[in-house]
Amino acid sequence: MLDQLHQLGLTGMAPAFAELEASGDGATLTHADWLGLLVDREVTYRRDKRLAARLRYTRLRHHAVVEDVDYRTPARP
């Protein structure tokens, strides 16, 4: 199953499938919930991959965060 997921390009779904099988939580879920978790992990994986590619493409020199922005206006002499 894992090989087939990788062949189909569902590389985000493969580790989620393995985790559900290993944890035993998959047995308590309905088929729709189980599939929903797998699809959600695939979507999240693709979004993260796309964001990482965009960040690499921008070639930002500094890793800035909004919390570091100083919005205070300088005092006038």
Side-chain angles (χ1 to χ4, degrees):
M1 179 64 82
L2 293 176
D3 290 336
Q4 290 174 335
L5 289 172
H6 284 289
Q7 287 175 357
L8 290 170
L10 300 171
T11 53
M13 213 180 263
F17 178 81
E19 288 173 17
L20 279 173
E21 287 292 310
S23 70
D25 293 338
T28 61
L29 298 172
T30 65
H31 292 295
D33 290 338
W34 191 79
L35 182 60
L37 284 173
L38 292 179
V39 170
D40 185 50
R41 286 284 295 270
E42 181 66 28
V43 169
T44 302
Y45 172 80
R46 290 182 184 206
R47 284 183 186 157
D48 291 346
K49 188 176 171 183
R50 200 169 25 240
L51 176 62
R54 288 179 180 154
L55 289 172
R56 276 192 315 272
Y57 179 73
T58 60
R59 296 184 185 155
L60 297 174
R61 290 175 286 183
H62 304 286
H63 294 286
V65 291
V66 174
E67 291 82 14
D68 291 341
V69 176
D70 185 7
Y71 293 105
R72 295 176 291 175
T73 57
R76 294 185 183 195

